[in-house]
Amino acid sequence: MTSQPSLAKADQAPHNPGDSQPENGQTGTNGSDGLKAGLKNRHLSMIAIGGVIGAGLFVGSGSGIAAAGPAILISYALVGLMVVLVMRMLGEMAAARPTSGSFSAYADRALGRWAGFSIGWLYWFFWVVVLAVEATAGAKILNGWVPGVPQWGWALIVMIVLTAANLVSVGSYGEFEFWFAGIKVVAIGAFVAIGVLAVFGVLPGSDNPGDGFAHLTDSGGFMPNGAGSILTGVLMVVFSFMGSEIVTLAAGESEDPQKAVTKATNSVIWRIGIFYLGSIFVVLTLLPWNDKSIVEDGSYVAALNSIGIPHAGEVMNVIVLTAVLSCLNSGLYTASRMAFSLGQRGDAPKAFARTTKRGVPQAAILGSVVFGFLAVWFNYQWPDTVFNFLLNSSGAVALFVWLVICFTQLKMRGIILREEPEKLVVKMWLFPYLTWATIAGISFVLVYMLTDDAGREQVVLSLLVAALVVGISLVRERAQKRKQVSA
């Protein structure tokens, strides 16, 4: 099987004329196979469905409800709308030109090499940080079940197991993710179905009185903390949506990338509607938003307890652990494929672009894991500061990625129409107006974060990191141009 050619090969000349670009993702340096089309349709379908369900939905939703009350539904809807529009733009580009570098490779072509370099490394760094965050979260749950193994030991075990799975083949990643995502999907689906029955008082044996929609307004109204709390809620929930774009990276290693991307793009609306808005709606209609158990026990555990589901806490721990392992698995895969793409384009060590005979970018995986382990170590050294900072600051990086996707799509539409118009099978709605509207919405959220005490530091530090990466890319580009002129 052959993989999709890299965007650098398909769209433009190599960045460095002295380096030969390999065919089909192969590396000219070692002659090994490139990325393999080892992901089956069922893998891609479940990655697309489960990719939007992160551990943040289960863990962080209680804080959002406490901050905004029932109005948190609007917060989720606003962020969900942004994700739908961004995914539509990304789907347009990925269906036309699937590649493991996804939006980073498209930004490279449309906006300039500095853009592809910068957003690629920022995205890689985001997922490396996620490895530490999720490994710690998973270790806490496992340590509660088996306290004889210390938390750091569980974090190490989880990281090693999932690293090994990713090193075997892309099919191993796909199989792990198929089952992890499947458990999440079934769990959320069952929660929504059971919860709706309990809301209307028709669930046999339920301990919840079933007050219908009364709890949406009976504790201070729908917006008890004012309209501003909606935007506060946006800042709190935006992190949990990151991951929906993973399917566009994975599509490059599937048998039919165009079909996979098209299907994932078209289904993103109902996925967000059911898994996010549906499940949070159930929580808010089963319990008053200010019920202390929502924050103390977690929103989903509190809702299950109100129904009378036995051992709700342990049931939810199993589901959260599955979500954590899924996020770890996908995070490692995503970081390594972005590193692989950067290596192909000469923006990362050449070793990252080499693959084994099984089509696995081994150096890219191990390089990502090393930094992931380092981040885990920092996390355990300063758990009360580093862990919370990393978790809260991730939202800003997500917004940067989405902004770059928007600006890239503005340019890539013209490039695709000029070069391969027959491949424009997925189109952004009301182009370019909705694209610009999405840019305005994301920019507004970033500016609003500067007025929020918790968000200000996140945006400023994220901007500083982004400025540093962009500066490095511009210096490298200038140095390479001087080298080419002198040669």
Side-chain angles (χ1 to χ4, degrees):
M1 287 182 281
T2 58
S3 68
Q4 296 299 313
S6 69
L7 195 68
K9 175 67 181 176
D11 297 337
Q12 61 189 56
H15 292 308
N16 186 348
D19 295 331
S20 60
Q21 284 289 329
E23 295 283 353
N24 296 329
Q26 292 178 328
T27 58
T29 54
N30 67 356
S32 64
D33 292 337
L35 295 178
K36 300 283 189 179
L39 292 175
K40 300 177 182 178
N41 288 335
R42 66 182 177 89
H43 293 154
L44 263 293
S45 295
M46 197 56 73
I47 289 170
I49 295 172
V52 78
I53 309 173
L57 173 62
F58 301 104
V59 178
S61 56
S63 299
I65 292 172
I72 194 68
L73 285 169
I74 299 179
S75 303
Y76 274 105
L78 288 173
V79 179
L81 177 61
M82 283 197 295
V83 172
V84 167
L85 295 175
V86 170
M87 277 298 294
R88 188 74 186 181
M89 295 178 227
L90 185 54
E92 176 181 297
M93 298 182 286
R97 300 182 176 183
T99 172
S100 62
S102 189
F103 52 83
S104 172
Y106 308 141
D108 191 301
R109 174 72 198 274
L111 304 179
R113 191 176 180 188
W114 67 271
F117 175 96
S118 302
I119 203 62
W121 278 115
L122 283 173
Y123 191 69
W124 176 86
F125 177 71
F126 169 87
W127 281 110
V128 169
V129 169
V130 167
L131 293 180
V133 173
E134 301 296 344
T136 302
K140 286 183 178 179
I141 295 174
L142 290 167
N143 179 252
W145 293 343
V146 186
V149 179
Q151 277 193 30
W152 66 265
W154 279 119
L156 184 64
I157 291 170
V158 168
M159 290 278 281
I160 289 175
V161 169
L162 293 180
T163 299
N166 275 265
L167 286 172
V168 171
S169 69
V170 67
S172 297
Y173 155 72
E175 201 62 32
F176 267 79
E177 191 55 27
F178 176 81
W179 292 105
F180 287 152
I183 293 172
K184 292 189 296 183
V185 169
V186 170
I188 288 288
F191 176 82
V192 172
I194 293 172
V196 168
L197 293 177
V199 166
F200 293 104
V202 294
L203 181 67
S206 173
D207 294 340
N208 193 288
D211 294 321
F213 303 139
H215 289 318
L216 294 177
T217 56
D218 63 5
S219 298
F222 186 74
M223 290 188 288
N225 296 326
S229 65
I230 294 174
L231 293 176
T232 302
V234 166
L235 306 187
M236 300 181 77
V237 306
V238 69
F239 171 79
S240 63
F241 281 84
M242 198 65 171
S244 55
E245 72 290 333
I246 291 175
V247 68
T248 64
L249 282 82
E253 294 177 81
S254 68
E255 297 171 351
D256 191 347
Q258 189 177 83
K259 181 179 179 181
V261 170
T262 302
K263 185 177 180 180
T265 302
N266 291 334
S267 65
V268 70
I269 296 177
W270 70 260
R271 286 185 278 135
I272 289 175
I274 293 176
F275 299 136
Y276 279 87
L277 292 177
S279 62
I280 297 300
F281 175 81
V282 166
V283 172
L284 289 168
T285 48
L286 285 175
L287 291 165
W289 70 271
N290 54 1
D291 191 302
K292 293 181 179 180
S293 65
I294 291 179
V295 174
E296 294 174 356
D297 301 329
S299 55
Y300 292 86
V301 173
L304 291 174
N305 282 332
S306 77
I307 297 173
I309 301 296
H311 309 293
E314 288 305 311
V315 170
M316 192 51 60
N317 273 340
V318 172
I319 297 170
V320 171
L321 179 62
T322 302
V324 164
L325 294 177
S326 172
C327 196
L328 269 171
N329 192 40
S330 292
L332 181 53
Y333 171 84
T334 306
S336 65
R337 274 15 179 219
M338 187 58 73
F340 170 81
S341 177
L342 288 166
Q344 277 194 318
R345 289 177 273 145
D347 291 335
K350 290 183 178 179
F352 283 5
R354 299 185 184 128
T355 58
T356 66
K357 292 181 179 180
R358 296 185 302 274
V360 174
Q362 182 173 290
I365 291 174
L366 293 176
S368 301
V369 169
V370 166
F371 280 93
F373 276 125
L374 183 62
V376 170
W377 180 77
F378 280 122
N379 210 342
Y380 280 104
Q381 284 293 103
W382 299 283
D384 296 327
T385 54
V386 176
F387 182 86
N388 289 329
F389 172 77
L390 293 178
L391 182 64
N392 294 327
S393 65
S394 298
V397 175
L399 291 169
F400 294 164
V401 170
W402 295 345
L403 266 181
V404 168
I405 290 173
C406 293
F407 282 111
T408 299
Q409 191 262 340
L410 285 172
K411 291 289 189 71
M412 280 299 294
R413 167 67 74 92
I415 294 173
I416 295 170
L417 285 174
R418 184 170 62 251
E419 298 179 357
E420 300 171 294
E422 73 281 0
K423 291 188 176 181
L424 195 64
V425 294
V426 176
K427 294 183 179 180
M428 175 60 182
W429 305 298
L430 297 177
F431 177 83
Y433 307 109
L434 272 184
T435 300
W436 281 110
T438 307
I439 290 172
I442 297 171
S443 301
F444 176 80
V445 173
L446 283 169
V447 172
Y448 183 77
M449 289 178 74
L450 292 173
T451 68
D452 180 75
D453 292 336
R456 187 180 304 110
E457 184 179 7
Q458 299 170 22
V459 174
V460 171
L461 290 177
S462 296
L463 284 172
L464 288 175
V465 172
L468 177 63
V469 175
V470 171
I472 292 173
S473 69
L474 293 175
V475 170
R476 286 180 73 257
E477 194 171 352
R478 190 172 300 172
Q480 288 172 351
K481 286 182 179 178
R482 282 201 297 263
K483 185 178 179 181
Q484 291 174 7
V485 170
S486 61

